[in-house]
Every structure is written in C-alpha cells, then in structure tokens.
Amino acid sequence: MTATTTTTTAATGAVGTAHTRIEGRDKVTGAARYAGEIPFTDLAHGWLALSTIARGRIRSIDSAAVLAMPGVLAVLHHGNAPRVDADYVGMLGRPDPIVEAFQHDRVPFVGWPVALVVAETPEQAREAAEALVVHYDQEPHDVEFSAGRPGTYTPDGDGMRTEKGDLESRLAASTHVVDAEYSTPEEHHSSMEPHAATARWDNGRLDIVDSNQGSTWVADELAKLFSLDPASVRVRSEHVGGAFGSKGLRIHQVFAVMAATALDRPVRVVMTRRQMFSLVGYRSPTTQRVRLGAEPDGRLLAFDHQAQSLSSTVHEFVEESAGFGRSMYAADAHHTVNRVVRLDVPTPTWVRAPGEAPGSFAVESALDELAEKCGLDPIALRTRNEPDVGPVSGLPFSSRNLLACFDEGARRFGWADRDPRPGLRREGRWLLGTGTAAATFPVLVAPSTASVTAEADGTYTVRITAADIGTGARTALTLIAADALEVTTDRVRVHIGDSDFGPAMIAGGSMGTRSWGWAITLAARELREKLVPGGDIPPEGITARSDTSEAIGALSQKERHAFGAQFAEVAVDVTTGEVRVRRMLGIFAAGRIVNPLTARSQLIGGMTWGLSMALHEEAVRDAASGGLVGPDLAGYHIATHADVPHVEADWVADPDADDPVGIKGVGEIGIVGAAAAVANAVWHATGVRHRSLPIRPDRVLLAGTAARA
C-alpha cells in the first residue's frame, strides 16, 4: 500500500443537529446481532436452576437423573463448580456476593442460583433444569418492609446523612408545616433484551460476548474474580437492548465462564424474564418522611427528608432517596438521612435515576402540599425558595436554569389559565387536573481513554469502550468526533463495546456521553496536532490516544446538576377510579444537546417511565414464600402506548462551560419528578392527596370514599 495525503473538510457543526442512528438500519432489518444471537461453533447452552426457598441451606442436589437426560453435558453447583475469589474492590466497589453462588450451600433469598445445567441445545438445558430436584434445610425468613421497623440503620459512608441548622427550632418557628409520609413500591428494570453472555477460551484468552453497560467494567471484574491476568480477558458488547442500571457484572457471565472452563467449549447463558426479577437487581421500595416548615410567604425555614429502603442480608445497597433535595431548595435548617434494613430478599441495584426518582416523588409532592397551605402557586413557591448556592454544600452552581425551565414549561403548558382550586374541572364522569414538579440529577464524569486514527483512505476511526444501551451513544460520539476533527460525519467510524480498546466509564449516571466525548475530543485534538497539512499518512494510519484522568482531576468543586420542570394533565374516572394521563410536558436544562433526535427520545422515555411509576409499576412480595407475586410482564404492569397519548420534551440553552463539548447528560433526568407531577395533577383533579405509588383505581376509589366520609 502507498501513503495517502491527508486532507480535511470543514464540518458545519455536527453537534446539535438531528442525526438518525448510525446503526438504525441494521437494528430494524435484523442485521445487528445481540449477545444471545451471535453464532459460535460447538456452542453449548446453560440454564439456571433457582432456589424455591427464601432462607436455608442446600442439603443435596439429585443431578444423576438429569445428567442421563438427552444432550445434558454437565450440572454445575456448589459441590463441583470452579472456585472464585470475590474478595476485591472493583470499579464500583465490592461485588454482590451472588457471584459466589456456587461456592457454598447457603440460600439467602428466593431465586438464588443453585445449579447450572449445560446441554447441547437450550431446550434440552431448560427441560433438564426444570427436572432437577434440590433438597433444602429451610429456615424462617423475613421479607416484611415497613417504615421504622426493627433492624433499620443509617449506613456509613458519604451521602447518608447531612445536617445544617437547628431543625426542630425552625419547625417550631414555622407558620406553615407539612409533615407527611410517602411510599414507593419495588420496581424493576424490564429491559427489552434479556441478560445474555457467551464465554469461550481462545488460545488461552477468555473471550466474552455480553450485553452490558461497560465492557471494561465486566472484564476487570471477571479477571479479579477468576484470578486472571487482566490482559487475558476480553469482553465485547456491541449492541445492547436496554439496561437502566441492571447490566453490570451479573451471575450469568460468571456461570458462562465456569461452564466454558469446565467443558472447554463455548457456553451461552441467557436469563429468562422471570429469572431477571430475582437476579439482576431492582429498585428498592421506599418509605419517606418529609417535614417542611415555612414562613407565611412560603420561604422555607426547615427542610427534613428521611428515607428508608431495603437491601439483602448478603450485600448492602442503599436507594439514596434523601439526596434529591440537597441541591434543590434553600432553608435555614436542612436535614437529610438515608436508612436501610436488611431482609431475606435479592439485592437491589441502580435503576434509572437511583435515589432521585423516588426522592423527587416525596419532596415534590410535599412542596405541592405546602403550596396549598401557603395559598401559593406551586411554581411561585419553588421560585421563592430558589438557592443562590448549594443549600447544603455552599458551593457555587456550575449553572442553574431551573426557573427558565419552569418559565418555558408554564408558557407552553398553559399554566397561567389554571384554576388552582381542586376538584372543579369536569368532563362527564372525568375529573380533570394539572400538576407540576421540579427535576434534577447530578452531572458526573469519570476518567476514560480513547484512540483516534487517521486512516490512509482519508477516514478516521475512533475506538472507545463505550456502551450504547439504546441511547444513541454511538451516533452522538460520531457527531462529537466529527466536530473535534473538523470533518464531516461520513468520514468518521466509531467502534465501541470492546474492552481491548482500553478503560472507559460505563453507561450510567448520565455520565457516559460526557465522559466518552471528553476522551474523544482530547484524542482528536492531539491527532490534529500530529497531522501535517498536505502530509502523507502511512498505510497503518496515524493514531493519537487520550486519557482524561488529569483533566477531570483538575475540575474545581462546584454543584453540577441538570434541572427540569415536569407538567402533567390527568383525567380521573369518578366511577372506576381509573387515572388517565392526557398530556405531559418536560422542559430541561441538561447541558448542550448533542443529538436532538435521540436526546428527545431519551427524555420522553424517562417521562413515560415516570408515568408508569405513578400509575402502574408495583412488584408485590409474598410474605409466606418470600418470592414475588407474578414476576413477569403479565403480573408486573408497565405503561404501554395506550397509556401515553401525548408526551413532549424540550430544553433550554444550558451548556456546561467546564466540559469541552458542553455536555451534562439526559439519560436519567427525564424520569425525575414525572411521578410527582402526575400525583399532583391527581390531587388537583380530585382534591385527594395520594402519598403511595402507584395510584391504582382501588386506591382512588378508597381515598374518594374516605374523603366523602
């Protein structure tokens, strides 16, 4: 091959323009293959067998009969599985001990993995797993969650408790006081693509094809768990059909590696929908007490938010709901605390906007109640308590455009025409109401690496271990790279989802695109410095690599947040108790919007999930068995198209000056405050306040009966 002369074509500014997904055609035509679809020669299939008791020990496993079934290759369990070492600290802390499921005979909850049956086909593996007989020594279990129950404690660590000012004295001095308890139920991710992983050994190197939120993350954890050289583990995850916090290191990857090691052939493990309800985490139920004290004009003197969640007996995970208000409203006394109780249940995990989603329901509902007591418009009350600096930290805000969101949202929603009195608007059997709520989510960023190569054919190749979990990240990164290189998007190829590309942040916490975009921008700048105008590019290309650790470490301390204003209109059937959301509007200040097409989709998706949280989603745990009632999409209700007639999402200008592209993040904030806006609209329609989600028809009817009594 001969060298090629480099040329550049000035781009018109790709960032900020709508762009269809780079991989969109492949996805809708089926050319894009997901983790459970990629073929391998000599592939075997593993099927999980889960415990049917909530607490106890495995006495014995009758595997002989199963091993004699057609196609069955192995039955792995605590008596014969390869050993692992989970005594390590990974990217996000210590691993959930579920990764040690086959290392001992203990059972800490219903759905704990007790065996993996491996067979030639998935059908044979499933039949054998369902035929496997496991004998237990059962012990009494406790799955009952309630406010302030025995065993509740405040965990150690940052963010669990904050205290500023004398809370009780400021409450006593308040003219208007709200003291109310709110609750949210157990909620599940329910991503469209199930959790799937294929493991194989390739010339002494462990190769995993997976569905995850960060291939570097999973590769690093597996290397530590199996005591392997990190360079000998490769994890690939090109296409991911939803994650929302659930797709990190999970037990199916571990078992696939164990089986591939034991059998010396590729093994695939795919979870069923029912298995996902116990094995991939969920949002803990919460009970929350909010106390607000205000002067006659609505200025807050006291803000107190006490939140309680649950975790398993084997691992501590805290749904930090009390964190929501720490950046939102100024008050003389500002106290927050997160508490947790350990029960015989699976371990919860991150679910879209962890902490902020349930926390915003409680705080924004309480603000609405305070507005009623003060005789103020809900937006006017929030405006009156707008802080100049972080209410708890005292740090300056990088930017804070919450009021701009409310101004634009109120104008577009027609808020000024709203009669504040509840229960007055009616259309036949439907009572109508409108509600609003504020939203916020922290702006986060983490060190990442990237490489950019100028190719001999005049194109540019970007390699970064990013994860596109359905958000359009691959497309957004293409736009960022094109602008950083000052070329058109058709000359940029972005490759993601391969741990061989080097360490990078996971897709989570709305920090993926910000972290990856920063790394790509720095690498592109360095590459442009290497390129000589009119110079030759050798056949192997010219590559520049970045590491953002130093740049991110140099960031000054500030309160960095995205903000938003949520609006909802509902209709409540007085005869059946049914609540219908007629329209929703969300206006957000979420940094520079890289791709308006996919960003709007993300925001609308979050708002839809908030609607679903308000009216539908509720996993119910049976106290007798310790398991869930109806752990599938027939028993666990979610919003569908018929429930979402008209949802709009838009934004105000809000670039982050501390980010090279101006990004903040849009993945999480769409759900924050959405449930509260719906709940506040239900109060406006009926005059009855609902402090427990979901707002089911039976609860509406019962509350209406109680109010009339």
Side-chain angles (χ1 to χ4, degrees):
M1 295 181 65
T2 59
T4 299
T5 300
T6 179
T7 59
T8 59
T9 302
T12 57
V15 171
T17 61
H19 200 297
T20 56
R21 293 171 186 262
I22 300 295
E23 78 289 1
R25 181 179 293 275
D26 287 346
K27 284 184 173 177
V28 298
T29 60
R33 284 179 166 171
Y34 291 82
E37 302 174 317
I38 299 173
F40 288 91
T41 302
D42 201 29
L43 179 65
H45 300 267
W47 202 276
L48 290 166
L50 308 183
S51 71
T52 56
I53 67 168
R55 185 183 178 95
R57 291 184 177 272
I58 301 168
R59 187 191 318 139
S60 63
I61 297 177
D62 296 345
S63 59
V66 167
L67 286 167
M69 294 177 69
V72 174
L73 302 169
V75 179
L76 296 181
H77 51 79
H78 70 280
N80 62 8
R83 300 294 94 182
V84 297
D85 181 5
D87 186 19
Y88 67 85
V89 178
M91 179 186 291
L92 299 180
R94 291 197 171 276
D96 185 335
I98 196 172
V99 299
E100 300 177 283
F102 287 178
Q103 308 299 294
H104 54 76
D105 63 358
R106 294 188 301 279
V107 174
F109 55 77
V110 169
W112 178 265
V114 295
L116 179 76
V117 177
V118 187
E120 297 288 354
T121 70
E123 293 80 10
Q124 291 171 332
R126 178 174 186 168
E127 182 181 9
E130 292 176 349
L132 186 68
V133 176
V134 180
H135 301 279
Y136 302 96
D137 291 323
Q138 191 168 356
E139 301 169 6
H141 63 264
D142 182 3
V143 300
E144 296 279 5
F145 177 73
S146 60
R149 56 152 291 159
T152 301
Y153 65 96
T154 302
D156 297 328
D158 295 337
M160 295 302 145
R161 180 189 293 273
T162 63
E163 293 184 357
K164 185 189 80 172
D166 188 333
L167 180 68
E168 297 304 329
S169 70
R170 302 317 287 154
L171 281 170
S174 299
T175 303
H176 303 293
V177 174
V178 170
D179 185 346
E181 292 190 358
Y182 304 85
S183 66
T184 60
E186 181 177 321
E187 299 165 356
H188 287 259
H189 307 81
S190 301
S191 54
M192 291 179 67
E193 181 202 12
H195 292 60
T198 303
R200 63 172 182 154
W201 287 95
D202 183 15
N203 294 320
R205 196 173 191 219
L206 180 60
D207 183 32
I208 312 286
V209 175
D210 186 30
S211 175
N212 64 53
Q213 291 177 241
S215 293
T216 302
W217 177 22
V218 175
D220 180 66
E221 299 264 339
L222 288 173
K224 289 181 169 67
L225 193 65
F226 286 93
S227 302
L228 300 171
D229 179 352
S232 69
V233 181
R234 182 187 188 190
V235 175
R236 292 174 287 154
S237 184
E238 185 176 2
H239 299 292
V240 182
F244 312 111
S246 71
K247 288 184 176 175
L249 178 68
R250 298 297 174 194
I251 198 63
H252 65 297
Q253 300 130 326
V254 178
F255 289 165
V257 174
M258 286 182 174
T261 301
L263 297 173
D264 194 24
R265 62 186 287 186
V267 177
R268 174 172 294 155
V269 179
V270 181
M271 290 190 193
T272 67
R273 180 68 58 181
R274 293 179 70 90
Q275 289 169 350
M276 287 165 57
F277 272 82
S278 63
L279 294 179
V280 304
Y282 55 95
R283 196 194 303 280
S284 165
T286 71
T287 60
Q288 304 176 59
R289 184 186 182 190
V290 179
R291 293 190 291 172
L292 305 176
E295 293 184 315
D297 65 355
R299 188 180 76 84
L300 283 172
L301 298 179
F303 181 101
D304 180 40
H305 187 183
Q306 304 170 38
Q308 178 183 324
S309 59
L310 60 73
S311 193
S312 68
T313 59
V314 296
H315 192 60
E316 181 184 86
F317 181 90
V318 184
E319 183 76 16
E320 297 183 31
S321 303
F324 170 79
R326 293 171 187 167
S327 63
M328 289 300 291
Y329 303 111
D332 295 349
H334 207 295
H335 288 208
T336 63
V337 62
N338 290 295
R339 300 187 179 97
V340 69
V341 61
R342 293 196 173 201
L343 301 174
D344 299 314
V345 296
T347 306
T349 193
W350 302 278
V351 180
R352 198 173 198 168
E356 278 77 9
S360 63
F361 165 66
V363 171
E364 292 300 305
S365 295
L367 259 291
D368 217 57
E369 296 196 48
L370 182 62
E372 181 191 4
K373 285 179 176 287
C374 295
L376 289 173
D377 178 86
I379 296 177
L381 176 67
R382 289 166 172 83
T383 302
R384 191 151 298 172
N385 291 286
E386 179 75 356
D388 296 323
V389 296
V392 176
S393 71
L395 294 172
F397 288 98
S398 61
S399 65
R400 185 181 173 98
N401 288 314
L402 175 59
L403 297 188
C405 295
F406 271 117
D407 288 345
E408 177 65 10
R411 182 188 67 80
R412 290 175 53 168
F413 197 74
W415 188 263
D417 299 328
R418 176 184 189 260
D419 187 329
R421 295 172 297 173
L424 295 182
R425 290 178 60 202
R426 187 162 186 155
E427 289 182 2
R429 70 178 193 270
W430 298 95
L431 290 171
L432 308 182
T434 53
T436 189
T440 188
F441 195 81
V443 173
L444 306 170
V445 66
S448 297
T449 63
S451 70
V452 182
T453 301
E455 305 289 359
D457 63 0
T459 63
Y460 296 84
T461 302
V462 176
R463 294 178 176 86
I464 186 167
T465 314
D468 192 333
I469 58 176
T471 58
R474 181 187 280 101
T475 307
L477 297 180
T478 300
L479 305 185
I480 292 170
D483 277 5
L485 292 164
E486 296 187 354
V487 300
T488 52
T489 56
D490 61 329
R491 294 177 61 188
V492 177
R493 300 289 181 269
V494 175
H495 298 282
I496 64 172
D498 189 333
S499 62
D500 276 0
F501 295 159
M505 188 53 199
I506 65 169
S510 283
M511 68 178 110
T513 302
R514 178 176 165 99
S515 301
W516 307 323
W518 199 321
I520 289 171
T521 300
L522 293 189
R525 288 176 182 172
E526 183 178 333
L527 178 63
R528 290 179 60 205
E529 291 177 0
K530 287 185 174 183
L531 298 177
V532 178
D536 290 338
I537 296 180
E540 69 274 13
I542 298 175
T543 298
R545 186 169 182 83
S546 67
D547 184 337
T548 61
S549 299
E550 184 177 348
I552 290 171
L555 282 171
S556 60
Q557 282 197 316
K558 293 180 183 178
E559 287 267 3
R560 292 183 170 86
H561 302 269
F563 293 96
Q566 303 271 17
F567 295 83
E569 179 179 24
V570 304
V572 182
D573 189 326
V574 296
T575 59
T576 67
E578 178 186 7
V579 178
R580 284 278 179 180
V581 174
R582 291 192 166 186
R583 60 188 175 112
M584 296 182 75
L585 170 67
I587 303 292
F588 301 94
R592 190 179 182 195
I593 302 302
V594 177
N595 184 357
L597 189 64
T598 52
R600 183 170 281 108
S601 176
Q602 281 294 292
L603 293 168
I604 288 174
M607 294 169 66
T608 302
W609 199 342
L611 181 160
S612 193
M613 176 182 178
L615 302 181
H616 302 288
E617 297 194 39
E618 181 181 27
V620 179
R621 196 163 291 277
D622 175 40
S625 69
L628 291 177
V629 177
D632 50 43
L633 293 184
Y636 182 78
H637 296 169
I638 60 175
T640 63
H641 284 294
D643 297 300
V644 191
H646 188 67
V647 181
E648 290 183 89
D650 212 336
W651 44 83
V652 298
D654 183 45
D656 188 333
D658 293 328
D659 182 87
V661 186
I663 297 169
K664 283 189 174 180
V666 299
E668 316 274 358
I669 196 170
I671 189 176
V672 183
V678 172
N680 291 339
V682 171
W683 169 81
H684 187 232
T686 64
V688 178
R689 179 69 58 181
H690 289 268
R691 300 187 181 95
S692 294
L693 297 182
I695 306 173
R696 302 189 311 253
D698 61 308
R699 287 176 170 170
V700 174
L701 292 177
L702 183 62
T705 300
R708 288 190 294 272

